[in-house]
């Protein structure tokens, strides 16, 4: 089996400028696999890398050789990154190759990864935008998500990364209100999105400890690894980070700094192949790996397959939905049922595309190299 065509394109969801960056890889058997890149700036840079740099190397290659292909792609153009848009492009290709591999072999990806420790995966509701909401508004949106049956809730603050410690008292008040809403025993997590100084993070973290929160995510700027070390050393609550790390070495630096939970993202870290290496590293150090994932279609589904196969994983998967607008392009959308996502035996990722609906929303990528 050989790769015959690589398509890089946007899918528009009709909500302002909301777009997903997709890759479809075709084989000479007439089958294809779907992948998705990180959506930062609509994934423009990742699609350009796939179209102009990766496609010539992929055409004619054996799609079953996922690790070989990723290593060659990574090192051939390593001076482009090696992080951010570059590893997002690697992720889109890798996810598509694994989806194609599963279809070719008639097996779901979770089984090709080694099997499912769990086929029914609980999720936590990941709720963003709380920095701009009032306390009452935060509680209302949490109540809405509780109707989906999550086993945990995470409130995110989507902080302005050029400012810090903007409203420590207000953030703590929101954390306390959510705790009062859900009761003492319900697991909660708090994501500042890099919003605090070391001192501000320790103040908020101590309040979260008192409120019984499970973890404190990205309390300081992601590139200040030494600051993570200071915060983790000062607090008993689990400190988590990693959604803005893209390489194995970046995750290693976080672990060495004392982060308790690492959270790399499958659409940012080279797909199943890259994330699998990070999982092995975390297990070697005795650190929990709880993948970050806020993409509701291909990325989310791929993450479920990965989490299903993740050795001894006990945390729920992240879910940023529902996103009904994206479900329309799939005949088999992945939705939670009674608080869990259930993985089937369908080959590949198990996503059956409605081609007519997809074509309505497809925006072909035109490489700048091709247009001169």
């Amino acid at each position: 089996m050989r790769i015959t065509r690589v398509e890089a394109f946007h899918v528009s969801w009709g909500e302002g400028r909301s777009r997903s960056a997709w890759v479809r890889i075709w084989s000479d058997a007439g089958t294809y696999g779907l992948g998705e890149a990180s959506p930062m700036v609509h994934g423009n840079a990742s699609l350009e890398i796939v179209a102009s740099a990766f496609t010539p190397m992929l055409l004619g290659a054996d799609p079953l050789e996922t690790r070989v292909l990723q290593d060659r792609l990574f090192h051939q153009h390593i001076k482009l990154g090696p992080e951010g848009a570059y590893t997002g492009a690697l992720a889109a290709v890798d996810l598509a190759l694994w989806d194609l591999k599963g279809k070719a072999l008639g097996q779901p990806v979770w089984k090709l990864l080694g099997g499912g420790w769990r086929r029914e995966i609980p999720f936590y509701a990941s709720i963003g935008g709380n920095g701009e909401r009032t306390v009452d508004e935060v509680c209302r949106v949490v109540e809405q998500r509780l109707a989906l049956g999550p086993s945990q809730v995470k409130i995110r603050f989507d902080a302005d990364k050029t400012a810090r410690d903007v409203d420590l008292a207000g953030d703590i008040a929101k954390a306390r209100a959510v705790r009062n809403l859900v009761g003492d025993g319900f697991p909660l997590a708090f994501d500042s999105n890099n919003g605090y100084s070391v001192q501000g993070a320790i103040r908020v973290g101590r309040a979260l400890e008192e409120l019984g929160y499970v973890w404190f995510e990205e309390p300081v700027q992601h590139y200040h690894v030494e600051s993570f070390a200071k915060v983790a050393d000062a607090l008993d609550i689990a400190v988590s980070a990693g959604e803005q790390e893209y390489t194995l070495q970046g995750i290693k630096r976080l672990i060495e700094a004392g982060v308790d939970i690492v959270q790399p993202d499958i659409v940012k870290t080279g797909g199943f192949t890259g994330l699998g290496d990070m999982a092995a590293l975390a297990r070697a150090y005795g650190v929990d790996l709880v993948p970050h994932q806020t993409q509701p279609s291909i990325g989310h589904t791929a993450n479920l397959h990965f989490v299903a196969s993740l050795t001894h994983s006990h945390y729920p998967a992240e879910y940023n939905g529902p996103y009904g607008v994206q479900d329309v392009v799939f005949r088999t959308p992945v939705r939670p049922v009674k608080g869990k996502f259930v993985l089937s035996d369908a080959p590949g990722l198990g996503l059956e595309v409605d081609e007519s609906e997809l074509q309505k929303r497809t925006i072909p990528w035109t490489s700048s190299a091709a247009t001169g």
Side-chain angles (χ1 to χ4, degrees):
M1 187 166 61
R2 297 292 167 180
I3 295 171
T4 58
R5 183 157 49 112
V6 179
E7 296 177 88
F9 57 98
H10 279 123
V11 182
S12 174
W13 304 115
E15 294 182 345
R17 299 182 64 189
S18 176
R19 295 181 181 182
S20 296
W22 286 16
V23 169
R24 178 150 53 177
I25 296 179
W26 292 83
S27 76
D28 53 9
T31 53
Y32 67 81
L34 284 174
E36 180 173 20
S38 171
M40 298 297 100
V41 197
H42 314 304
N44 291 344
S46 292
L47 291 184
E48 174 64 25
I49 291 168
V50 171
S52 63
F54 289 175
T55 294
M57 297 181 65
L58 289 168
L59 294 176
D62 184 343
L64 301 183
E65 296 184 351
T66 46
R67 180 167 291 278
V68 171
L69 287 174
Q70 175 148 135
D71 192 62
R72 286 177 176 167
L73 293 172
F74 180 82
H75 286 99
Q76 179 69 24
H77 299 289
I78 195 169
K79 291 185 179 180
L80 285 174
E83 301 181 342
Y86 190 60
T87 49
L90 288 169
V93 168
D94 190 76
L95 298 186
L97 291 174
W98 276 92
D99 187 30
L100 178 56
K101 182 190 298 189
K103 291 173 180 175
L105 300 177
Q107 298 292 333
V109 170
W110 62 261
K111 186 169 287 188
L112 296 179
L113 292 171
W117 288 93
R118 48 184 177 169
R119 297 275 300 276
E120 296 184 358
I121 303 172
F123 68 93
Y124 72 83
S126 182
I127 306 171
N130 295 297
E132 299 298 320
R133 295 187 178 109
T134 66
V135 171
D136 288 342
E137 288 169 342
V138 172
C139 288
R140 280 199 294 272
V141 73
V142 169
E143 281 186 307
Q144 293 169 0
R145 296 294 182 86
L146 288 173
L148 297 174
S151 61
Q152 179 177 314
V153 165
K154 180 174 79 179
I155 52 173
R156 310 194 321 260
F157 282 77
D158 303 311
D160 177 358
K161 292 179 176 57
T162 65
R164 63 182 188 178
D165 300 343
V166 173
D167 187 12
L168 299 179
D171 294 350
I172 293 170
K174 292 170 185 177
R176 181 172 289 111
V178 173
R179 169 53 73 203
N180 291 336
L181 172 68
V182 302
D184 290 339
F186 190 86
L188 293 172
F190 184 105
D191 184 357
S192 86
N193 294 115
N194 320 113
Y196 305 134
S197 66
V198 169
Q199 295 75 20
I202 292 172
R203 176 181 167 186
V204 173
R206 286 174 177 158
L208 296 176
E209 289 174 346
E210 178 186 345
L211 294 168
Y213 273 63
V214 176
W215 76 65
F216 187 11
E217 187 169 334
E218 286 200 323
V220 293
Q221 282 285 8
H222 78 281
Y223 45 75
H224 285 158
V225 178
E226 296 82 0
S227 294
F228 276 107
K230 294 176 183 177
V231 174
D233 186 59
L235 297 175
D236 293 326
I237 187 174
V239 173
S240 68
E243 72 170 88
Q244 297 180 87
E245 293 292 346
Y246 307 94
T247 64
L248 186 66
Q249 293 74 24
I251 295 298
K252 182 174 181 288
R253 286 190 291 270
L254 283 179
I255 293 172
E256 291 174 340
V259 168
D260 304 286
I261 300 172
V262 289
Q263 298 174 291
D265 190 315
I266 200 166
V267 300
K268 297 179 179 179
T269 56
F272 291 109
T273 303
L275 195 54
D277 288 345
M278 294 173 184
L281 180 69
R283 192 176 181 207
Y285 277 92
V287 171
D288 283 312
L289 185 139
V290 184
H292 173 271
Q293 180 49 231
T294 57
Q295 303 317 303
S297 55
I298 300 171
H300 171 67
T301 305
N303 187 60
L304 291 176
H305 281 257
F306 183 85
V307 170
S309 69
L310 188 57
T311 306
H312 301 168
S313 173
H314 57 275
Y315 282 107
E318 184 169 17
Y319 181 45
N320 195 38
Y323 279 81
V325 67
Q326 296 201 16
D327 287 347
V328 297
V329 302
F330 299 108
R331 292 195 172 93
T332 54
V334 179
R335 295 171 178 156
V337 177
K338 296 181 180 179
K340 294 182 179 180
F341 288 94
V342 181
L343 289 177
S344 72
D345 290 312
L349 294 175
L351 291 170
E352 184 180 345
V353 172
D354 184 328
E355 290 292 343
S356 63
E357 291 293 338
L358 178 60
Q359 290 307 313
K360 293 176 186 177
R361 295 161 176 80
T362 295
I363 304 172
W365 179 259
T366 303
S367 171
S368 61
T371 59

